[in-house]
Amino acid sequence: MPEVKLTQLSHGGGCGCKIAPAMLQQILGDVKDKLPYPDLLVGTETSDDAAVYRLNDDQAVIATTDFFMPIVDDPFDFGRIAATNALSDVYAMGGTPIMALAIVGMPINKLPVETIRSILQGGESVCKAANIPLAGGHSIDSQEPIYGLVALGIVHPERLKKNSNARENDVLILGKGLGVGIMAAALKKGALSDEGYAELIANTTRLNSVGAQLSGIAGVHAMTDVTGFGLLGHLLEMCRGSGLGAEIGFDQVPVLSAALPLVRAGYGPGAIERNLASYGCDVSFSGHLEAWPQRLLADAQTSGGLLVSVAPESVDEVLNCFHRAGFSGAAAIGKMNAGAAGVVVN
């Protein structure tokens, strides 16, 4: 069977495949209403990262699923990125993963068995790093390659971190730099350097396991992870759930170094335009900002960083926690304010 590039088999890649926020809202409709189950601590009502169900006074189970089409051509790296991204939702709730199941859809007539096996091995390597079993899964023959995980985790109900509990005057901290979608789009067009690819892989395969530590800090009020809707989209979900506004400074936002020249040159996934069209009316940009910073803030991240809303007195503790865990680029980027749900970018 001739060698085939994974990214050429799919119309999109990574979290850039997500349905645009506005279209998703139309599809879900009233499904986002709170469900009448008292032990369902988190459902669909605030677009949080995972569902959470209380088992008893000391334990709640976190359940989530995430899968997508290839963002890179290397099959092992694709598997690693997809698995890291899926487990991130558990960490974003403040929990610890306990088990995963694989979701596998592959064009059997187009990909060698060795390539498919390598994708699965990449996912297995991440589960091993997270110290959890990959205990099974489900596979289908599909037109485009798809891989991801069902991830299950555990959290004490009192340490659960929703995206809807941010408080006025909280400081916003972002754990990873932006630019993954832009770099992936450049890769597909042969414009990403070897150094840029290494930066892309290092960023997207770094587990957000620090979330389980952050959940033990009393000053941490809310958490989410930044994925397909971009920083602006996921921050808006935090604003809407919490009934607050937010203000961020673009110069404070960490950005992956290889992404800067690429976004200035116009590279980026189609998800950027879909995202801005979906929620742009709720974002106010300072007049000095050019178009490229706006696109960067709406860039679809795959396996992006944790976004944390934290009391001012706990900022240093949270940043130190990130830095000790190897997230050297983690930074305070803004704050939560009273007012209508929306984001101001200076």
Side-chain angles (χ1 to χ4, degrees):
M1 188 176 292
E3 183 179 353
V4 178
K5 288 188 174 183
L6 289 177
T7 56
Q8 301 305 314
L9 293 177
S10 59
H11 72 279
C15 289
C17 299
K18 291 179 74 167
I19 296 174
M23 177 60 70
L24 184 60
Q25 180 59 54
Q26 293 179 39
I27 294 170
L28 291 176
D30 293 338
V31 174
K32 297 184 74 171
D33 290 345
K34 186 170 178 61
L35 299 173
Y37 299 94
D39 286 318
L40 183 64
L41 303 182
V42 180
T44 59
E45 57 276 3
T46 62
S47 302
D48 218 326
D49 298 293
V52 183
Y53 193 91
R54 178 171 49 213
L55 301 176
N56 51 53
D57 291 343
D58 299 317
Q59 293 176 311
V61 65
I62 302 169
T64 184
T65 183
D66 218 315
F67 53 91
F68 46 63
M69 291 162 284
I71 188 173
V72 296
D73 290 314
D74 184 277
F76 189 78
D77 284 345
F78 170 42
R80 292 169 66 204
I81 294 168
T84 305
N85 180 76
L87 293 179
S88 182
D89 287 339
V90 174
Y91 296 126
M93 306 305 298
T96 301
I98 57 173
M99 186 176 72
L101 305 172
I103 300 169
V104 183
M106 295 291 156
I108 300 301
N109 63 334
K110 297 178 182 177
L111 287 178
V113 170
E114 292 77 13
T115 296
I116 299 173
R117 183 184 299 123
S118 184
I119 293 170
L120 271 59
Q121 289 172 339
E124 290 168 1
S125 72
V126 169
C127 291
K128 183 176 181 181
N131 197 30
I132 62 170
L134 184 54
H138 184 66
S139 61
I140 62 169
D141 186 356
S142 63
Q143 292 186 346
E144 296 180 279
I146 297 168
Y147 182 70
L149 300 178
V150 173
L152 300 176
I154 204 82
V155 67
H156 193 290
E158 294 180 0
R159 290 182 59 156
L160 172 64
K161 300 300 177 183
K162 302 179 183 180
N163 68 353
S164 57
N165 287 342
R167 301 181 188 178
E168 184 181 352
N169 296 321
D170 273 1
V171 175
L172 293 165
I173 294 175
L174 180 61
K176 290 183 181 181
L178 302 183
V180 169
I182 290 158
M183 294 162 72
L187 173 67
K188 198 167 183 176
K189 295 183 178 181
L192 185 66
S193 67
D194 290 344
E195 294 78 11
Y197 184 80
E199 186 179 28
L200 172 67
I201 297 303
N203 193 75
T204 54
T205 59
R206 182 178 292 280
L207 285 164
N208 280 324
S209 52
V210 67
Q213 303 170 40
L214 295 174
S215 70
I217 299 175
V220 172
H221 298 143
M223 276 201 300
T224 191
D225 64 343
V226 178
T227 55
F229 299 156
L231 172 61
L232 293 176
H234 293 286
L235 178 52
L236 276 168
E237 288 177 341
M238 186 177 284
C239 290
R240 291 164 181 159
S242 304
L244 297 169
E247 179 181 354
I248 63 173
F250 178 74
D251 291 340
Q252 298 169 262
V253 176
V255 179
L256 299 175
S257 60
L260 280 172
L262 293 170
V263 69
R264 288 191 176 105
Y267 289 98
I272 292 177
E273 281 68 34
R274 295 195 297 271
N275 285 341
L276 286 173
S278 293
Y279 54 63
C281 58
D282 293 321
V283 180
S284 175
F285 293 102
S286 172
H288 78 278
L289 287 179
E290 301 176 52
W292 69 263
Q294 300 178 33
R295 297 182 73 247
L296 184 57
L297 294 173
D299 181 36
Q301 303 305 291
T302 297
S303 190
L306 294 177
L307 178 63
V308 186
S309 181
V310 56
E313 62 270 19
S314 297
V315 168
D316 288 344
E317 184 178 4
V318 169
L319 285 173
N320 287 337
C321 194
F322 268 117
H323 295 158
R324 286 196 304 270
F327 295 87
S328 58
I333 64 170
K335 64 177 183 176
M336 302 297 293
N337 297 320
V343 179
V344 175
V345 184
N346 295 314

